[in-house]
Amino acid sequence: MLRKIGIRASLRDSQSSEQTDTNNDDCTRRPHNTPRALSEPSNALLDALPESTGHGNHQRKTSNAGSSYPGEEATDLSVVSAHDARTYDHLGLHLLHHIQDAVCDIIFVHGLGGSAAKTWSWKRDTAQFWPAWLSDDEQLYKTRVFTFGYNSNFRGSATNLNITDFAKDLLFHLLTFSHGDSQPIGGRPITFVAHSMGGLVVKKAYIVGKHDPDFSGIMAQVYGMLFLATPHRGSHYAKVLNNILSTVPTGAPPKAYVASLDAQSEALQDINEQFRKICQDLVLVSFWETTKVSFGFTKARPLTLHTTPIDIDTSVSQVTAILGIREAAEDELNVHRSHVFEGTCQWIIRRRDLQAWMDGLVNTQTSNDFWLFGLPATGKTVLSSVVIDHLKLLGKSCQYHFFSSGHQSKRTTAYCLRSIATQLAVANEDFRLSLVTLHKETGITLNTQNQPFRVIWEKIFEGIILKMRFQQPLYWILDAVDEADQYALLTSHFAAMKPTSPIGVFFASRPIKLPALTYRDTPPITLFLTENDTYKDVHTYAKRCVESILPNNKEIQVDVIRQILDKASGSFLWVRLALETLEHNWHTEEDIRRSLTELPQGMENLYDRMLAKVQNQTPRLRAMAERILSWVACSWRPLSVSELAVALQPEFTGFVRLEETVLEICGHFVSVHNSRVSIIHMTARDFLLKKSGDTAPFINSRDVHTHIAEICLRHLSSDKWRRVFKEIQNPFEASKNGRKQNRLLLMGADYPFLGYATCYWAFHLSKAHLSVQSLVDTLQEFLNSYCLSWIEAIALSQNLRYLIRSAQYLKAYVKRMLRAKGPGPFDSPVSLTFFPEQLPVVIKSWANDFVRVVGKFGSNLLQCPSSVYTIIPSFCPSGSMIGETFVPKTERALTVSGLPYDGWNDCLASVSVGDDLTASKMLAADRYLLVLVGSEGSVFVWYADTCETARVIRHREYVNLMALDDSQNLVATAGTQTYRIWDLGSGDEIRRIQKTGQALTTAIAFGAKTSEFLIGRDDCSITTYDLNRTIPISVFQPRNPPSLVQSCPKAMVLSPDRFKVAMAWRGKPPLVWNMSADPAQHPQQSRTSKVTDALCGPETLQWLPDGDSLLVLCHNTMVVEWSLLDEEQIEYSHIQPREMAVSRDGNFLLTSDHAGTMSVWLFPRLSLVYRLVNENEYIRSLTFSPDGQRFYDIRGSMCNVWEPDALIRADEESLEDQSSVGDVSITTEPVIRSDESSQCPVTALSSDSEDRYFCVGRDNGTVIIQEALDGKRIRKVYGHFSTSAVISLLWSPSGRYMVSGDDSGRIIAKRLDVKGEAKWAVYALLDIRLSESVQQFLFSQDEKLLLISTATSDYIWSTKKKEQICSRHWGSRQSRRWITHPLEPSLLIWIDPEVVHTYTWDSLEHSDPHQPASKTPHMSTVDHPSTKKVVQWIALTEDKQNHCF
């Protein structure tokens, strides 16, 4: 039975004896003497047709001459006979029913094992070919009907074709359709009817066609698709079918398109992922089978096959949002597949060592790593694609990545990790669920190109993938590893990983040095490509090509092939390019001999010949080719054809077919795949950009980057963008899964170059000439007039990291400027470059502003990008570049006063755990900031981006330690009696371990496995617990510690990989043990020569992130970096810290000294980068944010958040200009600033009755009056002790009295007399001290009485007599607030969450004589859910009839 989803319709006669034979691909209806299909067409099909067909509005007429309709003559194609149907049972597109003014085209596409006619015929009898009957239907007669056939016979011979090939074949036939006077396809709406695999072919054709200008016009006419039993999410039995095909006696080999139907097929998942993004405008109707259907050979055991309906899986789309990989990996694989010639490259999959590698993951007898080495252009990438396809055909779980030096993102190791994780998430539901859960619980996203490798590795790979148990081994194929930006980092991590499930890695690379780390269990398998390995493939390829060019002369064929192979040296690329360059010159035998003689040997010589062809064109074509090659060689990523067309303007415009032009004039240096223009090979890029002897390079990269930077900046420097962005309707309308859409990406169709210019202009600027005045002028115009619309564009992309990245590139540009201006030991044009003196300062200031905008207003920008024009500039300091440039120009929506003039404040925020509490430790996660108050046993959790309280975790014991797991989902706390594990996202306790023994806890950490938890104690033991069972599973304790170690260690720290532990004792050098070795081992000890050495007085130990080095803070403030691998010890005497912390990437060291001054130092030489000068303020704890762009400190109850722009540096290798002339280096001057947080924060505030002035109490005890309009300070009124903070403050309504209380219980009241405008005389009124601090002050209506309220007592004082009138002591802490009765000024109202009472001002007696007040009022007149709540604030409504609190 077929069931329909998604649209109100159903197939007629669904209860009839229909059958669907998946093997024969039948999709038929039983014929009747009067078929209902002729008079009552399928509602489902009508739903998938446009309304313009007019279905249901025609009256049918009949005649003896046949079927006809008003105004139309019957055509000879209206009725198809059985013989006619057989003529359409061939490959290609066939017209079944033609009508002149057709309003719609219906195209039938068969599925697996079917054909163009038999699929749609009852019992595969073409005499019952029912699509031909549609011409007689009263509602469908005005449609043209087609059927399309392709070779999907899985019983046939081997083929390399796949779903993509079938889709492209369909598109080609749609584009080239011609039939007499019939109009081309694409002039009217199109509806597809697809069965089985045909639905996937149609979807893939729609995806390819939408992005290809050749077919986009046709695809724009597609109105709907009707799917019949299409396996949208694959079938678990596709792999079984391929296995059967490879084993049955018929010998039919496995098929690539059958493998694509597997439920775990990445190709299938890619189709679904891409289709769901572009199908919003289509009418989709889907039917699927609900009864089991058998398929198979007649003598084989039949298997049941269930197909599943189309399903928009939001979890898969979430993967894109989390990891940011939007380009399907299959697209690049298809490019490399296209280079595989039939019958070639199969030798590698037959090699025993490769077979051993694949089988070894199952039997664990061989290495998990396979290295394929080869010289450039010898076919390594093609061989990698063959290995991938072979693994997929075997049903293996295979993920892959092709590094590319021409794509700045894809050449990064971080992108490689994200791509592999994306493919695995698409294919594996368990991993996808874990990834989405991690995102939901922590808010982490890794969707930008500048995400550090280490963060992705720790969170996704170590945190999830390496800990998961998969049903089968994973195979990862990495090609062109030598082109990666940090290949040593990548290969060393892969070599050292210890996954729970087997993972095999196939590396293809030029010859490079293998990682120094010991491979997991056995050395890797290596294969070095030789000419003998590829000779047969090169011969086959050359032979096929030559035979197609010279089909009739065998003798010449043999001679040509021999000469080509003699010069090829085993290079596929050389053969391919050589044949392409010679193909159009072979007209006579003499031409052939001359061409072969002139054919150069070797890639370099061949490139020279290709370049000569480019240079020998007409001047205009040569200039055009040079410009195109420049963009292709130097762009951040390959450009699309539409992007390139805009980029070439205004120099070259009016292209008719740019793609063909590129291929024709660029001398085979470029290729175009999926409308992306890219360099033919990395060696070709190197040839064009690098010198050859004394010859200058064909492309000067400095010139090109200068040109591209100017083009991008001019493209962005337009007033139209603000209008365009404003016209976007609902720019923040959430997608179906609740996430914000990338509106910049959606605008790509109308403005193709906008995205590239927005994201990458600064990259090109960082590599451009310094002396080109036009570029400097363009940059200044952009910054001074148009950078706000650029910021809005980035905000529309929902990815503000592009703003940070651009700031880094601007700093790199400034750094080159400073190099050029500085003295150098050489004479070069760079050193003589002239530019304005202040230009570097100005550009760096702009870069800092961009960083600040993200840090302070990032969440606001994402919510409302247009706020960058009117609101955000008003909040920028007036001395900032944005403040100076844009605030005077705009019609400001608001005016902000009191901002610092001299620029940005490095302190983003200060938050408190409570006046009476002292914070002891802190940790920073991606989404949260955790602060421990050990005495209370509480962990305060704040959101890292907003500093709002997320929750408070209460251990309810004294807690001295806390730790995060690698995924940052869990936090552990160590109390006096228990260890507890908490879910950080919810605050729930999920595990509890009871403490045993008397030893004190000195270290805790989550283990290498998620289920393990390590506890170190001062008896030198480290116990590992199983969190699932909360029982100890192992204990490491040195059995024979050296005799010098008899006391408890002063410090103990576990290494990041949890394999080593370092301990330190007073007066002794630190020791390090390997916990995976024998406990009786001798520990590794640092070198010392005498007992007075600094290392004999260790205070603090800190592991560096690599786990191979240890920082030791000694008692004399010396810092020693101890490298365990080479036993090197480096002493740093200039740092002198008291506390220290290392950034997660290991680049920075953060320290605080005894005066509270904080400093940031840059590894490896620990040079000073940034310093905050403080005056005698004790800093208890320090930590970096995970991305290293913020740091935090704890001082008493306060936690400060710092984001200095000095941490956004251009020192990274990816940003450095590697082509700088000479050896000149420049040391960046450190940034020295005063600690703004030490400028006493406001702790209390009150305003006068007219809101002209307000008074503030500060942390240093001062009380100051300031103007309300601009925040200008008027005068200091008085002060408490400098060590006390004012916590309560009230200015009376008349302005005559001011009273304040500090945290020591001291209360000061003053009388004020106005002496003029903003002038007061101050007289003493009250100065007393109570045993507890004040919670509230309140004046009576006539201001003759003053109420002083503490937690347990209340006092009434007379302002005239300056004496206490009465007091009440309630015996316990109360949660109330007081307010004067609005109708009876002689009464007070007591309000707390449970009680409302009235008392008299003059005696604090209960106002109701029949209900005398007790010590604690009990009369409850207000229902409240909790007695633990405290009233913090109270006010009256304007009519004074109600109060709110």
Side-chain angles (χ1 to χ4, degrees):
M1 189 196 310
L2 296 174
R3 178 179 298 160
K4 174 186 176 295
I5 64 169
I7 288 200
R8 303 184 306 276
S10 60
L11 281 177
R12 305 286 184 178
D13 301 324
S14 61
Q15 303 300 322
S16 65
S17 55
E18 298 172 330
Q19 296 181 4
T20 302
D21 188 334
T22 308
N23 187 32
N24 295 329
D25 191 66
D26 286 352
C27 187
T28 59
R29 184 182 300 278
R30 178 188 296 274
H32 303 284
N33 292 332
T34 306
R36 295 184 65 183
L38 301 183
S39 57
E40 300 180 20
S42 165
N43 290 343
L45 182 55
L46 294 180
D47 281 338
L49 294 175
E51 294 181 2
S52 60
T53 57
H55 49 262
N57 296 325
H58 300 283
Q59 297 296 322
R60 177 173 180 145
K61 296 182 179 180
T62 59
S63 70
N64 294 333
S67 299
S68 64
Y69 296 90
E72 294 296 331
E73 296 181 0
T75 67
D76 58 348
L77 295 174
S78 297
V79 180
V80 180
S81 66
H83 174 75
D84 292 333
R86 285 193 296 272
T87 65
Y88 298 124
D89 205 16
H90 300 292
L91 305 183
L93 186 68
H94 306 281
L95 177 64
L96 306 180
H97 171 55
H98 169 61
I99 191 168
Q100 278 296 339
D101 60 345
V103 295
C104 177
D105 291 338
I106 303 176
I107 303 174
F108 288 83
V109 182
H110 65 83
L112 180 64
S115 66
K118 291 182 180 178
T119 289
W120 313 104
S121 302
W122 171 251
K123 292 187 177 180
R124 301 179 68 79
D125 181 1
T126 55
Q128 308 295 341
F129 181 54
W130 64 265
W133 306 341
L134 298 181
S135 62
D136 293 329
D137 190 277
E138 63 183 12
Q139 292 177 312
L140 298 176
Y141 80 98
K142 296 196 72 174
T143 62
R144 292 194 304 180
V145 182
F146 297 81
T147 183
F148 174 71
Y150 58 96
N151 184 13
S152 65
N153 183 10
F154 53 76
R155 293 179 177 176
S157 59
T159 177
N160 277 327
L161 298 180
N162 53 35
I163 290 177
T164 301
D165 297 317
F166 298 147
K168 290 181 177 179
D169 190 38
L170 172 59
L171 290 172
F172 176 77
H173 280 86
L174 295 177
L175 181 66
T176 59
F177 168 75
S178 176
H179 188 280
D181 60 348
S182 184
Q183 296 180 1
I185 295 175
R188 57 181 60 83
I190 301 170
T191 293
F192 287 100
V193 180
H195 179 241
S196 181
M197 188 178 73
L200 305 180
V201 173
V202 169
K203 287 164 65 176
K204 186 64 177 180
Y206 187 73
I207 293 168
V208 174
K210 287 285 284 187
H211 296 89
D212 192 319
D214 291 336
F215 308 109
S216 58
I218 297 176
M219 292 300 101
Q221 290 294 333
V222 176
Y223 178 84
M225 298 179 184
L226 191 150
F227 300 105
L228 303 175
T230 294
H232 296 282
R233 299 182 68 183
S235 169
H236 294 291
Y237 294 104
K239 180 167 54 180
V240 179
L241 173 60
N242 250 341
N243 291 339
I244 292 175
L245 293 176
S246 62
T247 57
V248 294
T250 60
K255 301 295 187 295
Y257 51 82
V258 175
S260 298
L261 300 180
D262 185 71
Q264 300 297 325
S265 166
E266 284 90 346
L268 185 60
Q269 299 290 354
D270 287 343
I271 291 175
N272 288 335
E273 179 66 16
Q274 295 176 65
F275 184 71
R276 66 168 51 89
K277 296 177 181 177
I278 59 175
C279 68
Q280 291 83 358
D281 297 331
L282 301 180
V283 176
L284 303 178
V285 184
S286 186
F287 296 85
W288 77 98
E289 296 146 343
T290 59
T291 58
K292 293 184 177 181
V293 185
S294 62
F295 76 91
F297 296 92
T298 55
K299 294 185 180 181
R301 180 179 178 180
L303 301 171
T304 57
L305 173 66
H306 296 279
T307 59
T308 55
I310 188 169
D311 181 23
I312 305 302
D313 188 346
T314 57
S315 293
V316 173
S317 61
Q318 280 181 318
V319 171
T320 300
I322 297 170
L323 296 174
I325 301 296
R326 292 179 173 84
E327 296 183 36
E330 184 86 6
D331 291 344
E332 189 163 5
L333 177 61
N334 288 334
V335 172
H336 301 307
R337 278 176 176 155
S338 65
H339 298 152
V340 181
F341 213 79
E342 186 174 357
T344 63
C345 302
Q346 299 303 304
W347 60 270
I348 190 169
I349 62 177
R350 293 192 295 267
R351 284 186 63 96
R352 292 184 179 180
D353 47 7
L354 186 71
Q355 293 289 340
W357 170 72
M358 291 186 294
D359 298 339
L361 297 188
V362 180
N363 56 38
T364 66
Q365 294 178 356
T366 58
S367 173
N368 292 5
D369 302 289
F370 189 103
W371 280 87
L372 173 66
F373 292 112
L375 296 176
T378 53
K380 299 184 295 296
T381 299
V382 172
L383 291 173
S384 297
S385 69
V386 170
V387 174
I388 293 170
D389 282 336
H390 181 68
L391 290 169
K392 286 177 174 289
L393 281 175
L394 295 177
K396 306 294 185 181
S397 179
C398 176
Q399 294 77 46
Y400 48 90
H401 179 69
F402 297 90
F403 287 99
S404 172
S405 60
H407 196 303
Q408 296 299 318
S409 293
K410 289 186 178 181
R411 69 180 292 265
T412 64
T413 53
Y415 187 99
C416 170
L417 295 186
R418 292 192 289 126
S419 178
I420 289 176
T422 299
Q423 296 171 60
L424 184 59
V426 169
N428 188 280
E429 188 172 357
D430 291 338
F431 171 60
R432 184 166 67 246
L433 178 61
S434 298
L435 182 65
V436 173
T437 301
L438 172 67
H439 168 69
K440 288 182 177 179
E441 292 180 349
T442 66
I444 184 174
T445 56
L446 303 168
N447 54 8
T448 56
Q449 70 231 12
N450 57 332
Q451 283 288 349
F453 171 91
R454 193 180 302 276
V455 172
I456 303 172
W457 181 263
E458 290 177 356
K459 295 187 178 300
I460 305 301
F461 284 74
E462 288 184 343
I464 305 178
I465 296 176
L466 302 186
K467 296 178 180 179
M468 287 186 64
R469 293 191 178 276
F470 297 95
Q471 295 182 353
Q472 58 176 329
L474 304 181
Y475 295 85
W476 295 343
I477 313 299
L478 306 181
D479 177 68
V481 175
D482 56 291
E483 296 184 35
D485 61 339
Q486 296 175 297
Y487 72 84
L489 179 68
L490 176 79
T491 56
S492 61
H493 276 72
F494 275 46
M497 65 182 180
K498 295 185 179 298
T500 302
S501 297
I503 298 178
V505 187
F506 179 99
F507 301 93
S509 170
R510 294 181 184 183
I512 59 174
K513 183 180 179 181
L514 292 181
L517 292 177
T518 303
Y519 265 82
R520 294 177 244 176
D521 295 313
T522 57
I525 302 172
T526 57
L527 168 62
F528 290 85
L529 280 180
T530 66
E531 290 188 36
N532 292 333
D533 292 321
T534 58
Y535 179 82
K536 290 184 178 180
D537 290 339
V538 175
H539 182 274
T540 301
Y541 175 69
K543 183 173 182 292
R544 300 278 180 86
C545 291
V546 172
E547 286 176 348
S548 65
I549 299 173
L550 306 169
N552 300 320
N553 195 322
K554 296 294 183 181
E555 183 178 349
I556 294 181
Q557 287 177 10
V558 172
D559 186 51
V560 169
I561 293 171
R562 179 184 58 78
Q563 293 193 52
I564 288 178
L565 293 180
D566 288 343
K567 296 183 178 182
S569 300
S571 173
F572 271 101
L573 180 63
W574 188 94
V575 174
R576 173 187 166 191
L577 294 177
L579 290 173
E580 287 178 356
T581 58
L582 297 178
E583 182 177 359
H584 301 293
N585 298 321
W586 295 3
H587 306 294
T588 66
E589 293 186 10
E590 181 61 28
D591 291 336
I592 295 173
R593 293 190 183 94
R594 185 176 62 255
S595 297
L596 290 175
T597 302
E598 296 173 354
L599 194 63
Q601 186 169 1
M603 291 304 306
E604 189 83 10
N605 296 327
L606 183 58
Y607 286 149
D608 281 329
R609 180 187 177 95
M610 292 161 55
L611 183 59
K613 181 179 178 181
V614 172
Q615 294 175 317
N616 289 334
Q617 299 177 109
T618 63
R620 177 168 174 78
L621 287 182
R622 172 180 171 166
M624 186 185 300
E626 184 173 351
R627 185 64 73 201
I628 293 172
L629 289 174
S630 298
W631 276 93
V632 172
C634 296
S635 60
W636 173 276
R637 57 163 173 77
L639 298 176
S640 67
V641 174
S642 56
E643 287 176 324
L644 183 60
V646 178
L648 293 174
Q649 297 174 1
E651 192 176 5
F652 303 102
T653 59
F655 291 102
V656 178
R657 297 182 65 85
L658 178 57
E659 181 174 334
E660 293 182 2
T661 300
V662 168
L663 295 176
E664 182 176 341
I665 70 174
C666 291
H668 304 287
F669 277 107
V670 299
S671 61
V672 181
H673 294 284
N674 296 326
S675 296
R676 293 277 177 182
V677 184
S678 57
I679 202 75
I680 192 70
H681 194 265
M682 180 191 67
T683 55
R685 181 177 182 270
D686 292 341
F687 171 82
L688 294 173
L689 292 175
K690 295 181 179 179
K691 292 183 178 181
S692 177
D694 297 332
T695 305
F698 178 70
I699 296 175
N700 185 304
S701 61
R702 279 269 189 261
D703 294 341
V704 173
H705 286 297
T706 301
H707 173 78
I708 296 178
E710 282 196 60
I711 291 294
C712 292
L713 288 171
R714 287 173 183 167
H715 190 77
L716 297 172
S717 299
S718 172
D719 293 323
K720 77 173 181 180
W721 295 123
R722 186 171 179 179
R723 297 192 299 270
V724 168
F725 299 152
K726 188 176 182 179
E727 293 171 358
I728 298 177
Q729 297 298 317
N730 299 320
F732 300 102
E733 179 181 356
S735 59
K736 294 181 179 179
N737 52 26
R739 289 186 306 277
K740 303 291 169 100
Q741 299 185 56
N742 182 340
R743 301 296 296 185
L744 190 64
L745 185 65
L746 297 178
M747 294 169 62
D750 297 324
Y751 307 100
F753 192 62
L754 175 61
Y756 187 92
T758 298
C759 297
Y760 305 121
W761 67 266
F763 162 73
H764 295 290
L765 178 70
S766 70
K767 298 182 178 297
H769 282 298
L770 302 175
S771 57
V772 177
Q773 189 62 45
S774 61
L775 175 59
V776 174
D777 294 341
T778 304
L779 175 63
Q780 290 181 313
E781 181 187 11
F782 167 76
L783 294 175
N784 293 328
S785 303
Y786 301 104
C787 69
L788 294 189
S789 60
W790 167 65
I791 295 175
E792 184 184 17
I794 291 179
L796 288 171
S797 76
Q798 294 293 301
N799 190 346
L800 295 182
R801 289 189 178 272
Y802 284 117
L803 203 54
I804 297 290
R805 191 72 170 178
S806 297
Q808 290 178 294
Y809 284 122
L810 282 175
K811 289 189 176 184
Y813 185 60
V814 169
K815 192 172 181 180
R816 288 182 50 226
M817 284 184 168
L818 297 177
R819 280 201 187 104
K821 289 181 71 70
F826 60 90
D827 255 345
S828 76
V830 175
S831 64
L832 300 178
T833 302
F834 171 79
F835 43 79
E837 184 72 26
Q838 294 301 314
L839 184 60
V841 177
V842 171
I843 295 177
K844 186 176 181 181
S845 297
W846 277 109
N848 293 338
D849 275 20
F850 298 150
V851 174
R852 296 300 191 180
V853 164
V854 175
K856 288 186 177 290
F857 313 114
S859 58
N860 309 96
L861 263 177
L862 293 177
Q863 292 174 4
C864 183
S866 60
S867 64
V868 75
Y869 298 111
T870 55
I871 300 178
I872 289 178
S874 298
F875 281 94
C876 295
S878 55
S880 67
M881 297 306 301
I882 292 178
E884 284 185 355
T885 306
F886 293 105
V887 172
K889 297 180 181 179
T890 59
E891 297 180 2
R892 290 174 286 178
L894 69 147
T895 301
V896 182
S897 301
L899 294 173
Y901 175 80
D902 56 348
W904 298 95
N905 188 335
D906 287 344
C907 185
L908 284 184
S910 296
V911 289
S912 174
V913 296
D915 294 332
D916 301 329
L917 301 177
T918 299
S920 55
K921 294 183 183 299
M922 65 192 318
L923 295 172
D926 290 293
R927 191 178 183 186
Y928 300 109
L929 174 64
L930 291 76
V931 176
L932 172 65
V933 180
S935 59
E936 294 286 319
S938 300
V939 178
F940 289 77
V941 183
W942 290 302
Y943 290 108
D945 53 353
T946 64
C947 294
E948 296 176 301
T949 300
R951 60 194 57 86
V952 179
I953 296 173
R954 303 190 185 278
H955 191 116
R956 304 194 186 281
E957 302 172 19
Y958 178 84
V959 175
N960 68 325
L961 294 171
M962 63 177 176
L964 285 168
D965 73 331
D966 290 338
S967 66
Q968 299 182 0
N969 293 331
L970 305 176
V971 60
T973 53
T976 55
Q977 304 297 324
T978 58
Y979 306 97
R980 304 187 188 185
I981 312 298
W982 312 82
D983 184 295
L984 192 54
S986 64
D988 296 333
E989 179 183 336
I990 59 176
R991 292 288 187 274
R992 180 180 298 193
I993 299 173
Q994 197 69 30
K995 183 181 177 184
T996 59
Q998 299 299 316
L1000 299 178
T1001 304
T1002 54
I1004 59 173
F1006 288 88
K1009 296 181 180 179
T1010 309
S1011 59
E1012 293 180 352
F1013 184 63
L1014 282 68
I1015 301 174
R1017 298 183 175 90
D1018 64 358
D1019 60 0
C1020 300
S1021 66
I1022 295 93
T1023 305
T1024 302
Y1025 281 81
D1026 184 337
L1027 288 179
N1028 295 326
R1029 297 176 293 168
T1030 63
I1031 61 172
I1033 55 177
S1034 66
V1035 178
F1036 175 84
Q1037 186 165 21
R1039 295 177 186 173
N1040 299 308
S1043 58
L1044 54 88
V1045 181
Q1046 297 297 333
S1047 59
C1048 298
K1050 177 180 177 60
M1052 174 188 292
V1053 288
L1054 298 165
S1055 65
D1057 59 9
R1058 311 297 186 262
F1059 290 146
K1060 296 185 283 290
V1061 59
M1063 302 185 201
W1065 287 260
R1066 292 185 185 278
K1068 306 297 180 184
L1071 303 177
V1072 175
W1073 280 270
N1074 185 344
M1075 294 190 294
S1076 62
D1078 187 352
Q1081 65 183 290
H1082 290 289
Q1084 192 169 355
Q1085 180 174 332
S1086 56
R1087 299 191 313 272
T1088 57
S1089 59
K1090 52 185 180 297
V1091 294
T1092 58
D1093 284 354
L1095 279 175
C1096 290
E1099 293 288 330
T1100 303
L1101 304 177
Q1102 174 82 53
W1103 286 99
L1104 293 184
D1106 59 10
D1108 295 323
S1109 298
L1110 190 69
L1111 284 184
V1112 183
L1113 172 57
C1114 305
H1115 68 89
N1116 61 353
T1117 69
M1118 176 81 74
V1119 174
V1120 179
E1121 182 180 352
W1122 176 21
S1123 174
L1124 303 179
L1125 294 179
D1126 55 16
E1127 293 290 347
E1128 184 180 5
Q1129 295 174 189
I1130 305 175
E1131 295 183 351
Y1132 302 99
S1133 59
H1134 62 288
I1135 298 177
Q1136 300 182 342
R1138 188 185 187 282
E1139 299 289 336
M1140 63 181 185
V1142 180
S1143 62
R1144 179 170 295 185
D1145 58 11
N1147 288 334
F1148 295 114
L1149 173 67
L1150 173 65
T1151 64
S1152 65
D1153 61 20
H1154 287 76
T1157 293
M1158 292 184 291
S1159 303
V1160 179
W1161 312 85
L1162 180 65
F1163 283 98
R1165 296 180 298 274
L1166 290 186
S1167 55
L1168 182 63
V1169 173
Y1170 178 78
R1171 172 164 288 169
L1172 272 175
V1173 179
N1174 205 337
E1175 295 181 2
N1176 197 25
E1177 193 160 7
Y1178 174 51
I1179 296 178
R1180 187 177 296 271
S1181 181
L1182 298 165
T1183 191
F1184 276 102
S1185 63
D1187 61 8
Q1189 295 180 9
R1190 290 183 180 179
F1191 62 83
Y1192 309 88
D1193 73 74
I1194 288 177
R1195 314 177 193 190
S1197 63
M1198 300 298 296
C1199 172
N1200 298 304
V1201 184
W1202 305 90
E1203 189 174 77
D1205 54 73
L1207 295 185
I1208 310 296
R1209 301 181 61 78
D1211 290 0
E1212 302 173 19
E1213 181 182 353
S1214 61
L1215 301 180
E1216 273 299 319
D1217 186 0
Q1218 301 299 325
S1219 58
S1220 296
V1221 180
D1223 249 345
V1224 172
S1225 62
I1226 183 167
T1227 302
T1228 304
E1229 290 296 322
V1231 177
I1232 310 294
R1233 292 189 178 172
S1234 296
D1235 186 349
E1236 295 95 337
S1237 69
S1238 62
Q1239 300 172 359
C1240 300
V1242 173
T1243 53
L1245 184 144
S1246 182
S1247 65
D1248 71 341
S1249 58
E1250 298 179 354
D1251 288 335
R1252 295 179 60 195
Y1253 306 99
F1254 63 90
C1255 58
V1256 297
R1258 295 187 176 272
D1259 190 54
N1260 62 355
T1262 59
V1263 178
I1264 300 171
I1265 295 178
Q1266 298 179 225
E1267 285 189 359
L1269 183 62
D1270 58 8
K1272 179 182 178 182
R1273 173 174 168 158
I1274 303 298
R1275 63 160 293 174
K1276 175 182 175 181
V1277 186
Y1278 58 90
H1280 294 249
F1281 290 122
S1282 61
T1283 57
S1284 301
V1286 178
I1287 60 174
S1288 299
L1289 179 64
L1290 180 63
W1291 198 347
S1292 68
S1294 68
R1296 292 181 295 169
Y1297 299 101
M1298 188 178 293
V1299 59
S1300 60
D1302 61 31
D1303 52 8
S1304 69
R1306 186 184 181 189
I1307 300 167
I1308 300 176
K1310 300 289 184 178
R1311 181 171 62 85
L1312 281 65
D1313 285 345
V1314 178
K1315 296 298 183 181
E1317 184 70 20
K1319 295 181 180 180
W1320 295 268
V1322 181
Y1323 303 96
L1325 177 64
L1326 183 66
D1327 191 342
I1328 63 174
R1329 187 180 296 277
L1330 302 178
S1331 60
E1332 55 186 337
S1333 58
V1334 175
Q1335 290 186 339
Q1336 183 185 7
F1337 294 115
L1338 182 65
F1339 286 98
S1340 62
Q1341 191 175 51
D1342 57 9
E1343 298 186 359
K1344 293 181 179 180
L1345 299 175
L1346 170 65
L1347 169 69
I1348 302 173
S1349 180
T1350 68
T1352 62
S1353 304
D1354 290 293
Y1355 308 86
I1356 301 293
W1357 279 74
S1358 170
T1359 56
K1360 296 298 183 184
K1361 299 179 181 180
K1362 301 180 182 181
E1363 64 181 20
Q1364 180 176 309
I1365 296 177
C1366 63
S1367 65
R1368 293 295 300 271
H1369 303 282
W1370 307 109
S1372 62
R1373 297 178 67 89
Q1374 300 298 307
S1375 56
R1376 85 291 187 196
R1377 300 287 282 185
W1378 293 96
I1379 191 172
T1380 300
H1381 198 295
L1383 304 178
E1384 294 290 340
S1386 62
L1387 299 180
L1388 281 164
I1389 300 178
W1390 163 307
I1391 299 176
D1392 72 17
E1394 291 189 334
V1395 177
V1396 173
H1397 275 309
T1398 55
Y1399 291 83
T1400 61
W1401 258 106
D1402 55 4
S1403 64
L1404 285 179
E1405 295 293 336
H1406 204 289
S1407 64
D1408 186 352
H1410 302 290
Q1411 192 172 24
S1414 60
K1415 273 194 169 183
T1416 305
H1418 295 292
M1419 178 181 174
S1420 179
T1421 59
V1422 178
D1423 292 330
H1424 200 279
S1426 172
T1427 61
K1428 296 180 180 179
K1429 293 185 180 292
V1430 176
V1431 177
Q1432 299 283 2
W1433 171 88
I1434 187 170
L1436 288 170
T1437 57
E1438 288 189 8
D1439 59 8
K1440 298 185 178 181
Q1441 298 297 312
N1442 300 284
H1443 66 263
C1444 50
F1445 64 90

